[in-house]
Each structure stands twice: as C-alpha cells, then as structure tokens.
Amino acid sequence: MIEVEAKAKINSFNEVRTKILELKAEKIKTEHQEDIYFNSPICDFTKTDEALRIRKTKTDKESNLFITYKGPKIDKKSKTREEIEMGIEDENKCRKIFEHLGFAAVREVVKDREIYRYKNYEISLDDVKGLDPYMEIEALVEDGTDYSKAQEGLFKVFEKLGITDGFERTSYLGLLENIDEN
C-alpha cells in the first residue's frame, strides 16, 4: 500500500476538533500508541528515509501489536511513501529477532491519538510526548496507483479545517531526535 499522508503543527486540539466535527467527520476511536523504532545494520535509516518499528496500540476495548516498514518518501510535498504493516503476537520475540539480525532499537515514540473518518481520509489529532500538538491526514492507495488525487484531496481537507501552513514532513521520531540535538 501507499500511505498518502501530510501532517501539520496545530495550535489547539480543541479548536481543530470542533472544526473536524463541523465537517461531520466520524470519531472512530482514541488510541494510545507506543512505537519502538529500529535502525538497520545494513544502512542508516536516517539517511535512506526509511523506518522500521514495532507499535503497541491500546484502546478501551483492545490492544494490538504491529510491525511496520515505511519506505522513503516519494514526493517533496507530503509524507507519501510505501507502508507495509502486519500484526504480530509477541513484542519481545519480535524485538529479539530484530536484534539477532543486527537491528538496533533507537527510540520510543509515545502518543495519544484521536482518529476520525472523513470521506476516504483518516484524520488524527496527535498528542506526542515531548512535542507540540499535531494533526495528520492520510489515505491509503494501492501500490502502482496514481496517488496525486488522494494527495490533492487531503490538502483540501486541511484547507476546510483552516490549516494552510505549519506542514511538517519530518516524522515524529525525527522531530524528537532534532530536539535532542539542539
């Protein structure tokens, strides 16, 4: 799948939440996410713009574990990239496999995410530990599909929400790493 995604720094969750609800978007869930990111023994993911993580999610009703690989961004405007994700049963066993293969855990990213559905888009309000408020909008398209219409559409949704600047292509992992460097 191709994940067509853009994110923007926002001033207030309450202000944007009100606008999201005015669009008649449906709140899907609130989710706590804990991501452990790994770097490759073969190439430096910070240089190749790739990501590998184990994600734990928890809602009031369920908990899940996933492995996610994200390829390099494929345009200059958004965070559009290939994404491959699958469920796993045991975080510790997965982590051990990664470590035996030479992958090193580099950082944990923790966030609480409110997820809304608007047409073909998923809108997320992200409260990331250590960062200011952010909002992401994403759509998934099949590999090999022209993603430009989905990308245009998600920027139109941002406009409907009154967001025309503050866009950020750096991942939450990268933003946290940048804070540590400064």
Side-chain angles (χ1 to χ4, degrees):
M1 294 297 276
I2 300 295
E3 176 188 52
V4 182
E5 177 183 286
K7 102 169 140 232
K9 192 175 189 179
I10 58 175
N11 294 323
S12 161
F13 288 124
N14 288 334
E15 179 184 317
V16 174
R17 185 181 298 113
T18 298
K19 291 178 181 180
I20 289 170
L21 294 173
E22 286 171 359
L23 282 180
K24 305 270 190 271
E26 175 190 3
K27 185 172 183 180
I28 304 298
K29 61 185 166 182
T30 299
E31 188 171 78
H32 179 75
Q33 298 178 348
E34 296 178 12
D35 298 339
I36 302 168
Y37 283 88
F38 293 84
N39 204 354
S40 169
I42 301 166
C43 60
D44 184 350
F45 284 163
T46 61
K47 291 184 174 128
T48 62
D49 194 27
E50 296 170 278
L52 178 67
R53 71 174 179 226
I54 297 173
R55 172 172 281 176
K56 291 189 282 190
T57 65
K58 185 173 182 171
T59 67
D60 291 339
K61 298 177 184 176
E62 63 183 2
S63 297
N64 291 294
L65 290 167
F66 302 93
I67 298 173
T68 307
Y69 165 79
K70 293 187 177 214
K73 294 177 198 84
I74 56 177
D75 69 36
K76 301 286 185 206
K77 190 175 180 181
S78 68
K79 294 179 55 198
T80 299
R81 55 176 44 182
E82 178 181 23
E83 179 180 87
I84 304 167
E85 185 170 76
M86 62 182 252
I88 59 172
E89 294 178 14
D90 188 307
E91 174 190 355
N92 292 325
K93 286 180 182 176
C94 183
R95 191 177 180 138
K96 271 188 158 180
I97 291 170
F98 284 178
E99 290 169 352
H100 282 300
L101 294 172
F103 288 84
V106 292
R107 184 170 203 131
E108 185 174 50
V109 175
V110 177
K111 70 176 157 285
D112 290 306
R113 173 174 269 183
E114 287 179 43
I115 303 169
Y116 297 84
R117 170 72 51 204
Y118 177 70
K119 298 185 178 181
N120 295 328
Y121 298 96
E122 185 174 282
I123 302 171
S124 299
L125 297 179
D126 290 338
D127 186 5
V128 181
K129 185 177 178 184
L131 295 177
D132 292 327
Y134 278 90
M135 181 180 86
E136 288 187 353
I137 300 177
E138 76 172 56
L140 296 175
V141 299
E142 293 293 326
D143 291 340
T145 304
D146 179 13
Y147 62 87
S148 60
K149 285 184 182 178
Q151 188 179 71
E152 275 179 41
L154 72 85
F155 281 107
K156 285 180 182 175
V157 175
F158 272 111
E159 283 181 35
K160 287 180 181 184
L161 295 170
I163 298 168
T164 57
D165 60 11
F167 294 103
E168 179 62 64
R169 292 183 72 237
T170 305
S171 68
Y172 293 133
L173 172 66
L175 291 170
L176 289 166
E177 294 288 316
N178 289 342
I179 289 171
D180 288 350
E181 290 174 6
N182 294 327

